[in-house]
Amino acid sequence: MNRREAIKQMGLIAGGIMLSAMPVSLSSCSKMKKRIILYYTATGNSLYVARQLADDNTELLSIPQLIKENRYDIEADEIGLVYPVYGHMPPGLVWKYLEKSNLKAPYKFAVATYGNRKCNAVEILDDIARKNGKTFDYIATIVMVDNWLPNFDMNEQIKIDKRIPENLTRIKSELAEQMLWHEPVTEEERQIHNDFMQQSGRSAPFKQRSEEEFVIHDNCVKCGICTHVCPKGNYAFTSEGIKTHGDCDFCFACIQNCPQKAIGFSRITEVNPNARYRNEHISVMDIKRANDQSPLM
Ligand SMILES: Cc1cc2nc3c(=O)[nH]c(=O)nc-3n(C[C@H](O)[C@H](O)[C@H](O)COP(=O)(O)O)c2cc1C
Ligand code: SF4
Ligand code: SF4
Protein backbone atom coordinates (compact mmCIF):
# COMPACT_ATOMS: atom_id res chain seq x y z
CA MET A 1 0.00 0.00 0.00
CA ASN A 2 1.53 3.35 -1.00
CA ARG A 3 1.44 6.43 1.21
CA ARG A 4 -1.53 7.96 -0.66
CA GLU A 5 -3.61 4.75 -0.28
CA ALA A 6 -2.65 4.51 3.38
CA ILE A 7 -3.82 8.09 4.04
CA LYS A 8 -7.09 7.41 2.14
CA GLN A 9 -7.73 4.29 4.22
CA MET A 10 -6.97 6.19 7.43
CA GLY A 11 -9.46 8.80 6.32
CA LEU A 12 -12.09 6.11 5.77
CA ILE A 13 -11.36 4.59 9.16
CA ALA A 14 -11.52 8.01 10.81
CA GLY A 15 -14.75 8.71 8.90
CA GLY A 16 -16.08 5.35 10.04
CA ILE A 17 -15.25 6.21 13.62
CA MET A 18 -17.01 9.55 13.23
CA LEU A 19 -20.05 7.91 11.66
CA SER A 20 -20.29 5.23 14.30
CA ALA A 21 -19.86 7.93 16.95
CA MET A 22 -22.53 10.11 15.38
CA PRO A 23 -25.68 8.42 16.68
CA VAL A 24 -24.16 8.57 20.16
CA SER A 25 -23.40 12.25 19.87
CA LEU A 26 -26.84 12.94 18.34
CA SER A 27 -28.62 11.02 21.03
CA SER A 28 -26.60 12.76 23.72
CA CYS A 29 -27.61 16.03 22.01
CA SER A 30 -31.27 15.11 22.21
CA LYS A 31 -30.77 14.16 25.86
CA MET A 32 -29.42 17.66 26.40
CA LYS A 33 -32.68 19.14 25.12
CA LYS A 34 -33.95 21.56 27.72
CA ARG A 35 -37.63 21.21 28.54
CA ILE A 36 -39.45 23.65 30.77
CA ILE A 37 -42.88 22.70 32.07
CA LEU A 38 -45.10 25.46 33.42
CA TYR A 39 -47.78 24.20 35.75
CA TYR A 40 -50.67 25.29 37.92
CA THR A 41 -52.12 23.04 40.58
CA ALA A 42 -54.51 23.15 43.54
CA THR A 43 -54.79 19.51 44.55
CA GLY A 44 -51.70 18.08 42.88
CA ASN A 45 -53.06 16.31 39.77
CA SER A 46 -51.42 18.74 37.37
CA LEU A 47 -48.16 18.81 39.32
CA TYR A 48 -48.12 15.01 39.28
CA VAL A 49 -48.66 14.97 35.51
CA ALA A 50 -45.97 17.65 35.04
CA ARG A 51 -43.51 15.56 37.06
CA GLN A 52 -44.33 12.47 35.05
CA LEU A 53 -43.60 14.35 31.82
CA ALA A 54 -40.25 15.60 33.12
CA ASP A 55 -36.84 14.08 32.46
CA ASP A 56 -33.44 14.83 34.02
CA ASN A 57 -33.12 17.98 31.97
CA THR A 58 -36.59 19.39 32.69
CA GLU A 59 -37.30 22.39 34.86
CA LEU A 60 -40.74 22.62 36.46
CA LEU A 61 -41.97 26.15 37.03
CA SER A 62 -45.13 27.06 38.91
CA ILE A 63 -47.19 29.76 37.20
CA PRO A 64 -48.25 31.46 40.48
CA GLN A 65 -44.55 31.70 41.42
CA LEU A 66 -43.59 33.08 38.00
CA ILE A 67 -46.29 35.73 38.32
CA LYS A 68 -45.13 36.57 41.83
CA GLU A 69 -41.55 36.95 40.53
CA ASN A 70 -42.74 38.92 37.51
CA ARG A 71 -41.08 36.39 35.17
CA TYR A 72 -42.80 36.40 31.83
CA ASP A 73 -39.95 35.53 29.44
CA ILE A 74 -39.41 31.79 29.11
CA GLU A 75 -37.04 30.19 26.63
CA ALA A 76 -36.13 26.52 26.12
CA ASP A 77 -35.98 23.81 23.45
CA GLU A 78 -39.42 22.66 24.55
CA ILE A 79 -42.00 24.44 26.68
CA GLY A 80 -44.91 22.56 28.18
CA LEU A 81 -47.98 23.73 30.07
CA VAL A 82 -49.94 21.52 32.47
CA TYR A 83 -53.09 22.91 34.11
CA PRO A 84 -56.54 21.87 35.39
CA VAL A 85 -59.66 22.81 33.44
CA TYR A 86 -62.28 24.89 35.23
CA GLY A 87 -65.52 24.84 33.28
CA HIS A 88 -63.39 23.49 30.40
CA MET A 89 -61.27 26.69 30.56
CA PRO A 90 -57.86 27.42 32.06
CA PRO A 91 -57.75 28.93 35.58
CA GLY A 92 -57.55 32.73 35.79
CA LEU A 93 -53.82 32.82 36.58
CA VAL A 94 -53.00 30.48 33.67
CA TRP A 95 -55.09 32.67 31.39
CA LYS A 96 -53.25 35.76 32.65
CA TYR A 97 -49.90 34.06 32.08
CA LEU A 98 -50.84 33.15 28.53
CA GLU A 99 -51.75 36.78 27.91
CA LYS A 100 -48.62 38.33 29.36
CA SER A 101 -45.83 35.82 28.77
CA ASN A 102 -43.36 35.43 25.98
CA LEU A 103 -42.80 31.70 25.42
CA LYS A 104 -39.88 30.99 23.08
CA ALA A 105 -39.37 27.36 22.04
CA PRO A 106 -39.28 25.40 18.78
CA TYR A 107 -41.76 22.93 20.28
CA LYS A 108 -44.60 23.82 22.64
CA PHE A 109 -47.11 21.45 24.18
CA ALA A 110 -49.98 21.59 26.65
CA VAL A 111 -51.74 18.95 28.72
CA ALA A 112 -55.02 19.83 30.43
CA THR A 113 -56.06 17.71 33.40
CA TYR A 114 -59.78 17.23 34.02
CA GLY A 115 -62.04 15.00 36.03
CA ASN A 116 -65.19 14.14 34.18
CA ARG A 117 -66.02 16.35 31.20
CA LYS A 118 -63.37 18.06 29.12
CA CYS A 119 -65.63 19.36 26.33
CA ASN A 120 -63.70 21.65 24.00
CA ALA A 121 -60.89 22.47 26.49
CA VAL A 122 -58.31 21.88 23.74
CA GLU A 123 -59.88 24.43 21.40
CA ILE A 124 -60.42 26.93 24.20
CA LEU A 125 -56.72 26.80 25.08
CA ASP A 126 -55.68 26.97 21.44
CA ASP A 127 -57.90 30.00 20.94
CA ILE A 128 -56.52 31.88 23.98
CA ALA A 129 -52.96 31.05 22.94
CA ARG A 130 -53.46 32.22 19.34
CA LYS A 131 -55.14 35.46 20.44
CA ASN A 132 -51.96 36.11 22.41
CA GLY A 133 -49.52 35.29 19.63
CA LYS A 134 -48.72 31.74 20.77
CA THR A 135 -49.23 28.35 19.22
CA PHE A 136 -49.09 24.96 20.87
CA ASP A 137 -47.82 22.17 18.62
CA TYR A 138 -49.47 19.52 20.75
CA ILE A 139 -52.51 19.77 23.06
CA ALA A 140 -53.96 16.78 24.91
CA THR A 141 -56.15 16.16 27.93
CA ILE A 142 -55.86 13.57 30.67
CA VAL A 143 -58.62 12.47 33.01
CA MET A 144 -57.78 12.45 36.72
CA VAL A 145 -59.68 12.54 40.03
CA ASP A 146 -62.37 15.23 39.75
CA ASN A 147 -61.78 17.70 42.60
CA TRP A 148 -65.03 19.63 41.96
CA LEU A 149 -66.47 19.30 45.46
CA PRO A 150 -70.01 20.49 44.70
CA ASN A 151 -70.79 17.47 42.50
CA PHE A 152 -68.34 14.78 43.54
CA ASP A 153 -67.58 12.80 46.68
CA MET A 154 -63.79 12.69 46.86
CA ASN A 155 -63.90 9.30 48.63
CA GLU A 156 -65.78 7.86 45.66
CA GLN A 157 -63.69 9.65 43.03
CA ILE A 158 -60.43 8.09 44.25
CA LYS A 159 -61.89 4.60 43.77
CA ILE A 160 -62.46 5.08 40.03
CA ASP A 161 -59.84 3.64 37.69
CA LYS A 162 -59.20 6.46 35.21
CA ARG A 163 -56.34 4.61 33.47
CA ILE A 164 -53.88 7.35 34.42
CA PRO A 165 -50.62 5.33 33.98
CA GLU A 166 -51.68 4.15 30.51
CA ASN A 167 -52.64 7.66 29.41
CA LEU A 168 -49.41 9.12 30.79
CA THR A 169 -47.34 6.54 28.92
CA ARG A 170 -49.09 7.44 25.67
CA ILE A 171 -48.65 11.19 26.17
CA LYS A 172 -44.98 10.72 27.12
CA SER A 173 -44.22 8.78 23.94
CA GLU A 174 -46.11 11.29 21.79
CA LEU A 175 -44.06 14.10 23.32
CA ALA A 176 -40.83 12.15 22.85
CA GLU A 177 -41.64 12.12 19.10
CA GLN A 178 -42.52 15.83 19.23
CA MET A 179 -45.86 14.89 17.74
CA LEU A 180 -47.82 17.69 16.08
CA TRP A 181 -51.37 17.07 17.19
CA HIS A 182 -54.39 18.63 18.86
CA GLU A 183 -56.81 16.20 20.47
CA PRO A 184 -60.02 16.31 18.40
CA VAL A 185 -63.17 17.96 19.74
CA THR A 186 -66.71 16.99 18.73
CA GLU A 187 -69.54 19.34 17.82
CA GLU A 188 -71.50 17.95 20.77
CA GLU A 189 -68.65 18.92 23.17
CA ARG A 190 -68.63 22.47 21.78
CA GLN A 191 -72.38 22.68 22.26
CA ILE A 192 -72.25 21.41 25.86
CA HIS A 193 -69.67 24.08 26.68
CA ASN A 194 -71.75 26.83 25.05
CA ASP A 195 -74.84 25.69 27.00
CA PHE A 196 -72.79 25.60 30.21
CA MET A 197 -71.57 29.16 29.67
CA GLN A 198 -75.11 30.39 28.96
CA GLN A 199 -76.74 28.58 31.86
CA SER A 200 -74.06 29.52 34.41
CA GLY A 201 -74.04 33.11 33.20
CA ARG A 202 -70.27 32.94 33.47
CA SER A 203 -67.83 35.21 31.80
CA ALA A 204 -64.62 33.29 31.36
CA PRO A 205 -62.47 32.55 33.35
CA PHE A 206 -63.81 31.63 36.84
CA LYS A 207 -63.67 34.80 38.97
CA GLN A 208 -65.04 34.68 42.47
CA ARG A 209 -64.48 36.55 45.76
CA SER A 210 -63.12 34.25 48.43
CA GLU A 211 -64.88 36.12 51.29
CA GLU A 212 -68.19 35.41 49.54
CA GLU A 213 -67.51 31.76 48.71
CA PHE A 214 -65.78 30.34 51.79
CA VAL A 215 -66.42 30.18 55.51
CA ILE A 216 -63.90 29.19 58.20
CA HIS A 217 -65.42 27.04 60.91
CA ASP A 218 -64.54 26.97 64.63
CA ASN A 219 -62.51 23.76 64.34
CA CYS A 220 -59.72 25.77 62.62
CA VAL A 221 -56.51 25.13 64.57
CA LYS A 222 -54.65 28.10 63.03
CA CYS A 223 -52.04 25.86 61.44
CA GLY A 224 -51.61 28.44 58.65
CA ILE A 225 -51.66 25.97 55.74
CA CYS A 226 -54.39 27.95 53.96
CA THR A 227 -52.20 31.08 54.13
CA HIS A 228 -49.57 29.27 52.01
CA VAL A 229 -51.52 27.11 49.54
CA CYS A 230 -53.71 29.84 48.04
CA PRO A 231 -52.20 31.00 44.72
CA LYS A 232 -53.87 34.37 45.21
CA GLY A 233 -52.67 34.86 48.81
CA ASN A 234 -56.23 35.27 50.06
CA TYR A 235 -55.83 33.88 53.60
CA ALA A 236 -54.27 35.69 56.56
CA PHE A 237 -53.99 35.52 60.34
CA THR A 238 -55.91 38.35 62.00
CA SER A 239 -56.72 39.23 65.61
CA GLU A 240 -60.02 37.41 64.99
CA GLY A 241 -58.39 34.27 63.63
CA ILE A 242 -57.97 33.19 60.01
CA LYS A 243 -59.79 35.37 57.48
CA THR A 244 -60.11 35.12 53.70
CA HIS A 245 -60.54 38.01 51.30
CA GLY A 246 -59.78 38.75 47.65
CA ASP A 247 -60.17 37.81 44.00
CA CYS A 248 -60.29 34.05 43.78
CA ASP A 249 -59.48 31.52 41.00
CA PHE A 250 -61.92 29.07 42.66
CA CYS A 251 -59.14 26.47 42.55
CA PHE A 252 -60.10 24.80 45.90
CA ALA A 253 -56.49 24.59 47.16
CA CYS A 254 -57.66 26.16 50.45
CA ILE A 255 -60.70 23.98 51.08
CA GLN A 256 -59.08 20.74 49.89
CA ASN A 257 -55.77 21.11 51.73
CA CYS A 258 -57.09 22.24 55.14
CA PRO A 259 -56.17 19.35 57.45
CA GLN A 260 -59.11 20.12 59.76
CA LYS A 261 -61.72 20.32 56.98
CA ALA A 262 -62.44 23.64 58.66
CA ILE A 263 -63.09 25.52 55.42
CA GLY A 264 -66.53 25.16 53.87
CA PHE A 265 -68.57 26.75 51.10
CA SER A 266 -70.90 29.62 52.05
CA ARG A 267 -73.46 29.08 49.33
CA ILE A 268 -72.77 25.71 47.74
CA THR A 269 -73.99 22.42 49.17
CA GLU A 270 -71.32 19.75 48.95
CA VAL A 271 -71.90 16.10 48.19
CA ASN A 272 -69.64 15.09 51.08
CA PRO A 273 -68.19 17.88 53.30
CA ASN A 274 -66.11 15.27 55.14
CA ALA A 275 -64.18 14.17 52.08
CA ARG A 276 -61.16 16.11 50.89
CA TYR A 277 -58.62 15.33 48.16
CA ARG A 278 -54.97 15.81 47.33
CA ASN A 279 -53.17 13.67 44.74
CA GLU A 280 -51.55 10.74 46.54
CA HIS A 281 -48.08 11.51 45.06
CA ILE A 282 -48.10 15.18 46.06
CA SER A 283 -47.51 16.61 49.54
CA VAL A 284 -49.01 19.70 51.11
CA MET A 285 -45.45 21.11 51.05
CA ASP A 286 -45.43 20.68 47.24
CA ILE A 287 -48.67 22.69 47.01
CA LYS A 288 -47.20 25.36 49.31
CA ARG A 289 -44.06 25.63 47.15
CA ALA A 290 -46.22 25.92 44.05
CA ASN A 291 -48.66 28.51 45.34
CA ASP A 292 -47.28 30.43 48.32
CA GLN A 293 -47.70 34.16 47.81
CA SER A 294 -45.84 35.25 50.96
CA PRO A 295 -43.55 38.17 50.10
CA LEU A 296 -40.18 37.24 48.55
CA MET A 297 -37.29 37.44 51.04
C1 LIG B 1 -63.59 25.37 39.74
C2 LIG B 1 -63.38 24.01 39.14
C3 LIG B 1 -63.98 23.72 37.93
C4 LIG B 1 -63.77 22.48 37.34
N1 LIG B 1 -64.33 22.25 36.12
C5 LIG B 1 -64.16 21.05 35.53
C6 LIG B 1 -64.76 20.78 34.27
O1 LIG B 1 -65.40 21.62 33.66
N2 LIG B 1 -64.62 19.54 33.75
C7 LIG B 1 -63.91 18.57 34.40
O2 LIG B 1 -63.83 17.47 33.88
N3 LIG B 1 -63.28 18.81 35.57
C8 LIG B 1 -63.39 20.02 36.15
N4 LIG B 1 -62.77 20.28 37.36
C9 LIG B 1 -61.90 19.24 37.95
C10 LIG B 1 -60.41 19.52 37.72
O3 LIG B 1 -60.16 20.01 36.41
C11 LIG B 1 -59.53 18.26 37.93
O4 LIG B 1 -59.84 17.59 39.08
C12 LIG B 1 -58.05 18.64 37.87
O5 LIG B 1 -57.29 17.49 37.59
C13 LIG B 1 -57.54 19.24 39.17
O6 LIG B 1 -56.18 19.54 39.00
P1 LIG B 1 -55.21 19.92 40.20
O7 LIG B 1 -55.23 18.75 41.17
O8 LIG B 1 -53.87 20.08 39.57
O9 LIG B 1 -55.68 21.16 40.84
C14 LIG B 1 -62.96 21.50 37.98
C15 LIG B 1 -62.39 21.80 39.22
C16 LIG B 1 -62.59 23.04 39.80
C17 LIG B 1 -61.95 23.34 41.12
S1 SF4 C 1 -55.68 25.33 56.98
FE1 SF4 C 1 -57.61 25.01 58.05
S2 SF4 C 1 -57.03 24.62 60.17
FE2 SF4 C 1 -55.25 25.47 59.17
S3 SF4 C 1 -55.39 27.68 59.55
FE3 SF4 C 1 -56.41 27.34 57.60
S4 SF4 C 1 -58.57 27.04 58.09
FE4 SF4 C 1 -57.42 26.79 59.98
S1 SF4 D 1 -59.27 31.42 48.08
FE1 SF4 D 1 -59.17 29.18 47.87
S2 SF4 D 1 -60.22 28.79 45.96
FE2 SF4 D 1 -59.75 30.97 45.95
S3 SF4 D 1 -57.79 31.14 44.89
FE3 SF4 D 1 -57.36 30.94 47.08
S4 SF4 D 1 -57.03 28.78 47.42
FE4 SF4 D 1 -58.04 29.00 45.43
Side-chain angles (χ1 to χ4, degrees):
M1 188 189 301
N2 63 28
R3 193 165 168 263
R4 199 191 165 102
E5 282 168 343
I7 290 171
K8 197 173 164 196
Q9 197 164 7
M10 273 173 67
L12 283 174
I13 292 166
I17 290 168
M18 272 182 67
L19 274 178
S20 65
M22 220 139 94
V24 177
S25 68
L26 273 182
S27 69
S28 57
C29 248
S30 67
K31 266 194 199 136
M32 294 289 290
K33 210 183 284 164
K34 165 111 177 141
R35 181 181 279 178
I36 288 180
I37 302 182
L38 312 171
Y39 72 93
Y40 177 102
T41 196
T43 58
N45 288 346
S46 307
L47 175 53
Y48 174 66
V49 170
R51 282 187 179 166
Q52 292 300 303
L53 301 181
D55 61 19
D56 291 348
N57 207 33
T58 300
E59 196 180 356
L60 295 187
L61 297 175
S62 144
I63 288 178
Q65 293 307 313
L66 290 171
I67 292 175
K68 177 174 151 186
E69 292 161 18
N70 217 11
R71 271 181 73 190
Y72 290 96
D73 290 319
I74 306 291
E75 187 165 2
D77 297 307
E78 293 184 352
I79 296 177
L81 167 68
V82 185
Y83 69 96
V85 304
Y86 295 167
H88 328 122
M89 300 170 282
L93 288 178
V94 175
W95 201 302
K96 175 179 172 182
Y97 203 74
L98 286 167
E99 285 171 348
K100 280 192 78 176
S101 60
N102 178 24
L103 308 181
K104 266 173 90 177
Y107 184 71
K108 293 200 273 302
F109 65 90
V111 178
T113 74
Y114 74 101
N116 186 56
R117 197 180 68 174
K118 66 186 166 59
C119 284
N120 52 342
V122 168
E123 287 182 350
I124 292 170
L125 178 72
D126 185 43
D127 195 46
I128 298 167
R130 281 177 197 281
K131 281 189 179 132
N132 292 285
K134 299 171 181 67
T135 46
F136 284 100
D137 301 289
Y138 173 98
I139 310 179
T141 63
I142 181 165
V143 63
M144 310 286 290
V145 164
D146 200 315
N147 69 0
W148 174 249
L149 289 166
N151 285 23
F152 299 104
D153 179 338
M154 298 299 105
N155 294 344
E156 295 305 317
Q157 271 292 304
I158 56 171
K159 292 181 196 159
I160 304 171
D161 179 7
K162 302 206 180 187
R163 302 179 61 80
I164 296 166
E166 294 88 332
N167 287 328
L168 276 172
T169 303
R170 177 184 46 80
I171 293 172
K172 266 191 230 179
S173 69
E174 289 169 354
L175 291 179
E177 289 169 22
Q178 292 202 329
M179 192 165 148
L180 306 176
W181 184 68
H182 285 187
E183 194 178 291
V185 170
T186 65
E187 190 47 46
E188 189 190 359
E189 287 178 315
R190 278 182 210 114
Q191 197 51 53
I192 294 172
H193 176 71
N194 290 343
D195 292 348
F196 161 79
M197 294 300 275
Q198 261 180 7
Q199 280 160 19
S200 63
R202 273 191 194 288
S203 61
F206 271 64
K207 271 189 197 152
Q208 317 291 131
R209 291 287 303 178
S210 63
E211 68 274 19
E212 290 170 5
E213 299 297 335
F214 299 108
V215 56
I216 297 138
H217 298 298
D218 290 344
N219 58 331
C220 163
V221 292
K222 302 186 179 64
C223 66
I225 286 174
C226 53
T227 66
H228 296 289
V229 296
C230 171
K232 304 284 282 190
N234 283 358
Y235 283 79
F237 286 101
T238 73
S239 52
E240 293 157 29
I242 293 281
K243 293 280 173 209
T244 185
H245 178 89
D247 287 336
C248 164
D249 264 14
F250 220 38
C251 70
F252 296 179
C254 52
I255 189 166
Q256 296 273 22
N257 288 293
C258 169
Q260 291 295 108
K261 303 184 181 102
I263 304 176
F265 289 104
S266 312
R267 40 193 188 187
I268 289 174
T269 312
E270 286 187 59
V271 176
N272 182 355
N274 288 314
R276 294 290 180 255
Y277 171 73
R278 186 174 58 251
N279 186 287
E280 60 182 327
H281 306 283
I282 300 299
S283 68
V284 73
M285 189 55 84
D286 291 324
I287 307 286
K288 277 191 193 182
R289 280 195 208 100
N291 293 348
D292 196 356
Q293 295 298 304
S294 309
L296 294 165
M297 293 298 166

